[in-house]
Amino acid sequence: MAYPFQLPDLGFEHDALEPHIDAQTMAIHHGKHHAGYTSKLNAALESHNDLHEMSAIDLVSDMSAIPEEIRGAVRNNGGGYVNHTLFWDVMTPGGAEAPIGDLALAVDAAFGSLDEFRAHFQAAAGGQFGSGWGWLCSDAAGALSVQATPNQDSPLMQGLTPLLGVDVWEHAYYLRYQNRRPDYLSAFWSIVNWDRVSARYNDAREV
Ligand code: MN3
């Protein structure tokens, strides 16, 4: 998918993630915030025909290739576009409780156990100062790491493939959780789509 970018479907109803994420938050987050990143990314690219064949992932994976006059806009809005597209894909109502297949083995190898991974991930996402994201990432060899990024920066900008992400901007949780970001992060595990995260791991590796 390339320019003009379209707001992707959520794949579930706004209230599907209740009570962990409320319907009003989902409606605003998808219909206003993600839609805003989409339209602003398109506006930044409008007069740059040479970039119109590129996917959003390719655009944000090499920021040095983006013309300086739109680099900031592509970083913020292209990052926002790809981050939220991943976020909707890795959540589902009533999903599997644990990774499957190669990802299950890799999590144990990298972190010791799923519980230890969760603790690392929550510490990184919970400790991100201000707005940003927490991530589980893979490198091309399949090595896992936990990352946190500010604003709408993507791990793609560091050459890593994001497998699982959690949005810790206040717009992602404030209506239900107010300042209680740790409670939002604890609830997040109830809606992770481990089938999709595990499939993303298989796609991330150059084998
Ligand atoms: Mn957001």
Side-chain angles (χ1 to χ4, degrees):
M1 202 165 57
Y3 177 92
F5 293 99
Q6 305 286 323
L7 178 66
D9 290 337
L10 268 183
F12 44 78
E13 299 298 319
H14 290 148
D15 63 359
L17 304 179
E18 293 268 12
H20 310 293
I21 301 180
D22 61 283
Q24 187 183 10
T25 293
M26 289 303 299
I28 296 169
H29 203 172
H30 180 254
K32 302 296 183 188
H33 291 277
H34 197 183
Y37 298 122
T38 306
S39 62
K40 288 174 186 165
L41 175 61
N42 286 331
L45 296 171
E46 185 175 3
S47 61
H48 291 264
N49 294 355
D50 52 318
L51 302 176
H52 285 185
E53 301 304 314
M54 292 179 70
S55 71
I57 285 173
D58 287 343
L59 284 167
V60 303
S61 293
D62 185 5
M63 292 305 307
S64 67
I66 305 298
E68 198 172 348
E69 67 268 24
I70 61 167
R71 193 174 298 152
V74 171
R75 181 174 190 154
N76 292 333
N77 298 296
Y81 184 82
V82 299
N83 290 344
H84 290 85
T85 299
L86 178 146
F87 193 42
W88 316 138
D89 184 54
V90 298
M91 293 191 292
T92 192
E97 291 183 359
I100 58 173
D102 287 349
L103 182 61
L105 300 173
V107 165
D108 286 347
F111 305 104
S113 68
L114 181 59
D115 281 346
E116 288 182 73
F117 157 67
R118 284 179 172 145
H120 278 290
F121 184 92
Q122 286 189 226
Q128 171 60 40
F129 182 77
S131 297
W133 292 75
W135 303 100
L136 171 65
C137 299
S138 175
D139 69 12
L144 298 178
S145 62
V146 165
Q147 307 286 335
T149 58
N151 304 312
Q152 293 297 352
D153 283 3
S154 164
L156 294 164
M157 297 170 188
Q158 310 163 46
L160 296 171
T161 301
L163 307 177
L164 172 67
V166 65
D167 189 340
V168 294
W169 286 56
E170 286 186 344
H171 67 229
Y173 62 88
Y174 206 85
L175 292 179
R176 173 138 303 171
Y177 297 95
Q178 293 83 47
N179 62 320
R180 302 187 307 276
R181 187 190 286 186
D183 292 354
Y184 161 68
L185 291 171
S186 295
F188 179 65
W189 302 118
S190 298
I191 48 174
V192 170
N193 188 344
W194 281 113
D195 290 336
R196 286 296 303 140
V197 180
S198 301
R200 283 176 174 272
Y201 183 56
N202 294 336
D203 293 342
R205 289 171 294 164
E206 292 167 357
V207 284

